[in-house]
Amino acid sequence: MEEKIKEIAKILLNSRYAIALTGAGVSTESGIPDFRGPDGLWIKNPELERKEYEIYEKFLLDPRGYWIDVMEERRIFGGIENAMPNPSHYALAELEKMNIIKYIITQNIDNLHQKAGSKNVIDFHGNISRLRCIKCGNVYDIKEFDIQRILNEGKVPSCKKCSFPLKLDVVYFNEPIPRDVYKKALSEVIECDVMIVAGTSAEVYPAAEFPRIAKNKSNPAKIIEINAEETSLTREGISDYFIKGKTGKILPQIVDEIKKMK
Ligand code: NAD
Ligand code: ZN
């Protein structure tokens, strides 16, 4: 294990353009459950998965009903907005400061990479601190709207440019990834020569394509996977290195090793 961490540290130190792809696993140590890990929400309650698929349709058919549900969920699961980064997020932010990691593509919507200080973050599935207009693409800070008051007045939060109802800027199942976001993420994947893949089951497409694209392109990237359990990336031989363990423990170890080598 120690040898592997040293080798990975060396690869990162010698990389030209390293990026990271992160999933729900980097945030479980901040108290936010994942979907498919051993304690995942869906593993424990499959009904929730079915419900997830209906949310986007509900927004399209009944935006006010959608917002009433969102506010009710916030009352019940209100934790995400108040969650704090854990050592996984801080280690990745430090790698950016060292100019090793150039971009993070995260599937998480929890804003924790930004809270830990990372600047170059692509929120591939959106971010709960923003609202998005699916018609004109305009994005707003959630703080610009007093959502509860708007609902109490019998209205819905709507776009200041085109008046279309706004949605939380999170990508639900059956909802397309916004084009600008997809294009930016893909260009980072094409550019990278090393990709850290941390805390993702790599089951949700199109994000799960990224390590596969990075590995199979004409100038293949080295794939470094960190996860509490093996994934399809490990099994299919996409990962050049696999470290089994908690990202909150392994990522800081890698940072420490790099510091020793500098
Ligand atoms: P996932 O639930 O499918 O997989 C999480 C993976 O992380 C699992 O393989 C699990 O073994 C691993 N894991 C859990 N805790 C870990 C730890 N401490 N260290 C290392 N590995 C750990 O998550 P996914 O691949 O991100 O896909 C699920 C989808 O759900 C994503 O699209 C994401 O947007 C969304 N989601 C987001 C959040 C969040 O914002 N924090 C939380 C749950 C789900
Ligand atoms: Zn609009």
Side-chain angles (χ1 to χ4, degrees), residues 51-60 66-67 69-70 73-74 109 124-126 128 130 134 167-178 204-205:
K51 235 183 118 195
E52 277 291 323
Y53 280 87
E54 293 168 358
I55 301 178
Y56 183 53
E57 201 180 33
K58 174 135 191 190
F59 169 75
L60 295 176
Y66 158 85
W67 273 110
D69 286 0
V70 167
E73 258 174 48
R74 293 201 154 200
I109 57 173
F124 198 64
H125 293 158
I128 48 154
R130 297 189 304 251
I134 60 166
K167 192 175 78 43
L168 271 184
D169 183 20
V170 302
V171 176
Y172 296 111
F173 289 92
N174 286 339
E175 179 180 0
I177 307 285
V204 179
Y205 283 81

Side-chain angles (χ1 to χ4, degrees), residues 131-257:
L131 305 183
R132 177 180 278 263
C133 174
I134 60 166
K135 191 166 176 205
C136 76
N138 232 30
V139 172
Y140 300 90
D141 191 314
I142 196 165
K143 293 197 190 96
E144 288 182 48
F145 295 83
D146 184 343
I147 297 168
Q148 196 54 60
R149 189 179 56 81
I150 296 172
L151 290 175
N152 291 346
E153 290 170 355
K155 296 188 249 169
V156 287
S158 55
C159 181
K160 294 177 184 175
K161 250 185 166 173
C162 76
S163 307
F164 201 77
L166 292 171
K167 192 175 78 43
L168 271 184
D169 183 20
V170 302
V171 176
Y172 296 111
F173 289 92
N174 286 339
E175 179 180 0
I177 307 285
R179 267 181 87 85
D180 52 333
V181 177
Y182 183 81
K183 268 177 75 175
K184 175 67 182 153
L186 185 62
S187 76
E188 294 303 319
V189 172
I190 299 296
E191 184 67 25
C192 78
D193 62 347
V194 176
M195 182 188 279
I196 297 177
V197 182
T200 173
S201 64
E203 296 292 339
V204 179
Y205 283 81
E209 250 164 29
F210 290 148
R212 296 172 165 97
I213 294 172
K215 172 85 175 194
N216 292 316
K217 61 187 181 161
S218 57
N219 52 337
K222 286 222 158 47
I223 311 294
I224 298 166
E225 185 186 21
I226 307 164
N227 198 303
E229 58 189 11
E230 291 197 355
T231 68
S232 55
L233 297 177
T234 337
R235 290 187 290 270
E236 290 167 23
I238 302 290
S239 302
D240 295 291
Y241 296 88
F242 172 69
I243 301 195
K244 188 176 169 134
K246 294 201 164 180
T247 54
K249 182 167 162 233
I250 309 291
L251 285 167
Q253 282 179 354
I254 293 174
V255 172
D256 287 346
E257 205 53 54

